[in-house]
Each structure stands twice: as C-alpha cells, then as structure tokens.
Amino acid sequence: MLAAGIHVISTLNVQHLESLYETVERATGVKVHERIPDRVVAEADQLVNVDITVEDLRRRLSEGKVYTGEKVETALSHFFRPANLEQLRELAAQLDARRRDDPQQAEESASSPDQVMVCLSSKGPNSRALLRYGSRLAGRLNRNWYAVYVQTAKERPALIDAATQRQLANTLTLAQQLGATVFTCKGEDVAQAILHFAKECRVGHLVIGSPAGRAAGLLPITRRMTCA
C-alpha cells in the first residue's frame, strides 16, 4: 500500500514488537507469539503513544469494548492484570522516548561513531535473544548495529547439515527484520575476524553469548571496547 502511495494509519500493542519478546516474557510471564519486525516501527513517519490508565483499560475490557464473550474474563485474569499493564505502559513510554528526535544526540552519533555488533554462530541456542538485545541496545544508544557470523572452513554450506543451515538462515533473516546490517565473514580465527570487523566498522559495543549460562537461559554479555 505504501508503494502505491496510500497512507497507512495503524495501531500496535507494544508487546508485539520482536525485539521486546524476552523483555515482555520476563515482565508478564507470557510468551507473545504474534510479533512484527521492529523495522515496521522504525520506518513509520510518525509515532503516537496512545496511553490510558490501567483502570480505564480494564474497565473497557469489562464492558466488552476490546474482547467479547468468554475472552473478557480470561484476559482480565491473565495477560491484562494490573501489574502486567503497568509494565507494558512503561515499555511503551520508553520506546516513545527513544524514538523522539534528539538533534544533539544525532550530531554526536555522526561525529563519534560507536556502533553495536552482535556476534552469531551457526548453532547458537540463544542467537535470537542476542539479536533482540542488540536491537534494544542500538535503539537506546541511537546507533547503527551489525549482526556478524564468521564462517570457518568446517562450516561451509556443503559441510553442515540441513537443520543447521535452516537455523542459521532463520537467524540472519531475523537480524535483518530487526534492523541489523548483516555480514558473513570467512576466516579460521573467529576472534580475530570479529576484532578486525569491529575495528573497521568502529564498533564500541560487542554483544556475545556466554557458553555457561543459567538454567533459565543464557544472558547476553556486552563488552565495551575501543577500536583505534
């Protein structure tokens, strides 16, 4: 529709943003399965945060203005509990604040590049979480960000199995959807390839996964670095 010159006005609940998947799950205890890429929001010409109080929203639910029938009670007692709604309102406010134009910050960003880089592996079990974290970090810092996979000789397409190829392809696709510039580098020394890329692209924040995480899931590790 946009390509045809048609103006589009739509609404979006903040919990449906791809980069906030883990954040919403931790805050509400609910896995949101219907999600959209962050680029949909990033490409919008204007964003308006439509906010009402928790009490008003729950009253609208009770009156059948959001859901009908038996869905109402289920919604009120599960996802739309007061504590969850307060968390979602805070997330929406934070997103709105980050998207506002800040000329001074934009000028500093242009004069002192300090980009974000997410390091990916072909079989990383937490690559999707790392990408979402990198997307949020880049948004907070108002920086460009990169998703980089280093392909060694042992991981040439002809040598890895179909399941690994699909997993890697899905990971790189998600990176693009979240707004990253995706690079596949070739080399035998993965660490050296990462450092070389970071220096060339003036990366200041390196996001990697930890091989020894808690049972609940691995947490991203962000390294602040200086590339001369």
Side-chain angles (χ1 to χ4, degrees), residues 37-227:
D38 286 45
R39 61 178 172 79
V40 174
V41 174
E43 293 172 358
D45 294 316
Q46 183 181 17
L47 292 179
V48 178
N49 184 18
V50 180
D51 188 24
I52 62 174
T53 66
V54 170
E55 293 76 16
D56 285 343
L57 178 54
R58 285 177 59 84
R59 183 173 62 252
R60 286 176 57 82
L61 280 162
S62 299
E63 294 171 350
K65 295 180 178 179
V66 180
Y67 297 120
T68 59
E70 60 186 24
K71 290 184 178 180
V72 173
E73 287 303 320
T74 300
L76 287 171
S77 60
H78 290 80
F79 190 79
F80 291 95
R81 298 194 304 270
N84 287 357
L85 294 176
E86 289 290 0
Q87 294 274 12
L88 294 175
R89 290 183 71 200
E90 183 176 347
L91 282 175
Q94 292 173 356
L95 177 66
D96 185 49
R98 291 200 302 269
R99 299 292 179 179
R100 292 182 185 278
D101 292 333
D102 186 340
Q104 181 177 356
Q105 187 180 38
E107 183 177 349
E108 291 173 354
S109 176
S111 61
S112 302
D114 190 14
Q115 319 306 343
V116 175
M117 174 182 175
V118 177
C119 303
L120 302 173
S121 65
S122 60
K123 297 182 179 180
N126 295 278
S127 295
R128 300 173 74 86
L130 292 177
L131 288 170
R132 295 184 185 109
Y133 178 85
S135 175
R136 296 194 301 273
L137 178 62
R140 288 198 299 270
L141 298 174
N142 191 27
R143 297 296 195 249
N144 296 324
W145 69 291
Y146 307 98
V148 179
Y149 161 62
V150 180
Q151 182 189 91
T152 64
K154 294 180 180 180
E155 293 194 337
R156 295 196 305 271
L159 298 180
I160 60 176
D161 58 81
T164 301
Q165 290 187 40
R166 284 195 300 272
Q167 180 178 336
L168 178 60
N170 291 338
T171 297
L172 298 181
T173 298
L174 176 61
Q176 292 177 325
Q177 292 176 343
L178 289 171
T181 301
V182 178
F183 286 92
T184 297
C185 307
K186 295 183 179 181
E188 293 308 302
D189 190 329
V190 176
Q192 188 60 39
I194 289 172
L195 290 175
H196 178 74
F197 183 94
K199 182 177 181 179
E200 289 294 316
C201 294
R202 303 185 67 182
V203 169
H205 299 270
L206 189 65
V207 180
I208 60 177
S210 170
R214 298 180 301 183
L218 302 182
L219 295 177
I221 298 175
T222 306
R223 295 295 186 218
R224 183 69 174 83
M225 57 188 295
T226 301
C227 298

